[in-house]
Amino acid sequence: MKENLKNSISNYFSNGPKVVMIFMLVLMSATLVISATRKTVTVSIDGKEINITTFRRTFKTALEANDIAVGPKDKTTPSLDTRVNKKDKIYIKRAVNVEVAVDGKDLNIQTAEDNIEKMLDAERIDVADYDKVVPSVKEPITEGLKVSVTRVEAKMIKETKTLDYATVIKNDDNSEKGNTKVLQDGEQGEKVVATRVIYENGKEISRQVVNETVTKQPVQKVVAVGTLSSYTPSRGSTKILYNKSMRVKATAYSAGYEDTGKNPGDPGYERTATGTIAKRNPNGYSTIAVDPSVIPLGTKLYVEGYGYAIAEDTGGAIKGNIIDVYFSAGSQVNNWGVRWVNIYFVR
């Protein structure tokens, strides 16, 4: 027994340096392993940097081990699944709260995007070319930012509208004043009007006519309006229509020698200046002599107290506003004498 104990002690002390050596090697290996897996990483959160020490393989587990939470809308560069190496750096941008009014809804959104345009893309909020975004889509994202998206829609509307016809007035020189006659009925035309209508969030805010195409021309209405005045010689007589009147001094003559210096059978007897035979026709037009510079030859008149007449003759004493009415007998000439009368220019 004593011999065995003695041998054991002897063996221990003889192998002691070897055990110590092995222990030291194990300790050095562990130290090297720890040193190799221990990493210092810089974490930048919204521009503020901290250093952490980690033995973890990925940024996700490294951050969790150091109680650094990353929200679902926070952005990291590189990604959380990236393998961690010594002296690596990870950037974390915290999501902020943004209010977005769109399509009749008020959305509370968390986002870590750089500007409004990127946020809308990330949230899958489509913005058409004409839609309005306030503030501008390039506006940086900040905490509490309020964004409104106004839906703008342009529609082209085509309408058929009537075109009013014009009324043309024409003088009717054969009708009394106040009388009208429709010579041609008017007819409305048509046109197609193209209008651009702008809506914001479904509400009309403006409209502008961009084109008008006449598809049917209107037909003008033509109305004849009388221009003649009227005169009624006496009660029950036929109304006389005229376009002009004049007050003149009226004398009378016949074809006899005392008025013309000619007797029956003489050349030019009863002939007027226009070559016609002087006549007195109570039921038609009688001959009168006029000053052609005042009343053109061939003019038809109504002579007050005498009747219808036509300017066919002239006379040496007939100058200015003087007429000479013709009678077939000298006694009638004497009965007429000289008087002031109204004459009416008839058609």
Side-chain angles (χ1 to χ4, degrees), residues 218-243:
V219 177
Q220 65 185 13
K221 182 179 182 180
V222 181
V223 179
V225 177
T227 62
L228 300 179
S229 300
S230 63
Y231 163 70
T232 304
S234 60
R235 184 176 300 176
S237 299
T238 303
K239 185 184 296 185
I240 296 169
L241 300 180
Y242 66 94
N243 57 16

Side-chain angles (χ1 to χ4, degrees), residues 129-276:
D129 292 340
Y130 292 107
D131 291 344
K132 295 180 180 179
V133 179
V134 179
S136 166
V137 292
K138 300 303 181 183
E139 182 80 9
I141 296 294
T142 56
E143 175 69 37
L145 181 65
K146 293 184 178 181
V147 179
S148 68
V149 178
T150 302
R151 300 300 189 190
V152 179
E153 183 181 11
K155 289 184 179 180
M156 192 68 70
I157 297 176
K158 290 187 176 181
E159 301 173 287
T160 299
K161 295 186 177 181
T162 59
L163 287 172
D164 290 335
Y165 56 80
T167 299
V168 177
I169 304 298
K170 290 189 174 182
N171 290 334
D172 183 357
D173 294 333
N174 296 306
S175 179
E176 184 179 1
K177 288 180 180 179
N179 288 346
T180 60
K181 181 181 180 181
V182 177
L183 303 180
Q184 177 177 281
D185 288 325
E187 186 176 341
Q188 289 183 324
E190 289 183 351
K191 65 179 178 179
V192 176
V193 180
T195 304
R196 179 182 289 112
V197 184
I198 304 299
Y199 300 87
E200 289 189 359
N201 291 335
K203 182 180 179 180
E204 180 182 331
I205 61 164
S206 69
R207 59 174 54 209
Q208 180 183 9
V209 175
V210 296
N211 186 43
E212 292 187 3
T213 303
V214 176
T215 56
K216 180 182 177 183
Q217 290 288 350
V219 177
Q220 65 185 13
K221 182 179 182 180
V222 181
V223 179
V225 177
T227 62
L228 300 179
S229 300
S230 63
Y231 163 70
T232 304
S234 60
R235 184 176 300 176
S237 299
T238 303
K239 185 184 296 185
I240 296 169
L241 300 180
Y242 66 94
N243 57 16
K244 179 183 176 182
S245 64
M246 181 185 297
R247 190 157 182 85
V248 296
K249 182 179 181 181
T251 59
Y253 78 104
S254 69
Y257 181 83
E258 63 275 11
D259 293 317
T260 65
K262 295 179 181 180
N263 292 307
D266 291 342
Y269 180 75
E270 292 186 334
R271 288 285 176 182
T272 67
T274 59
T276 62

Side-chain angles (χ1 to χ4, degrees), residues 246-255 260 270-282 284-292 294-328 333 336 339 341-346:
M246 181 185 297
R247 190 157 182 85
V248 296
K249 182 179 181 181
T251 59
Y253 78 104
S254 69
T260 65
E270 292 186 334
R271 288 285 176 182
T272 67
T274 59
T276 62
I277 300 297
K279 57 187 175 295
R280 170 61 175 147
N281 183 2
Y285 284 91
S286 300
T287 298
I288 63 171
V290 298
D291 180 351
V294 178
I295 301 173
L297 292 173
T299 301
K300 292 180 178 181
L301 305 164
Y302 183 87
V303 180
E304 193 175 34
Y306 180 73
Y308 287 100
I310 184 168
E312 294 180 315
D313 207 358
T314 60
I318 309 304
K319 301 295 181 184
N321 289 5
I322 300 175
I323 65 172
D324 208 8
V325 298
Y326 179 79
F327 287 103
S328 57
V333 171
W336 179 267
R339 64 180 76 176
V341 297
N342 294 319
I343 59 172
Y344 302 89
F345 292 71
V346 299

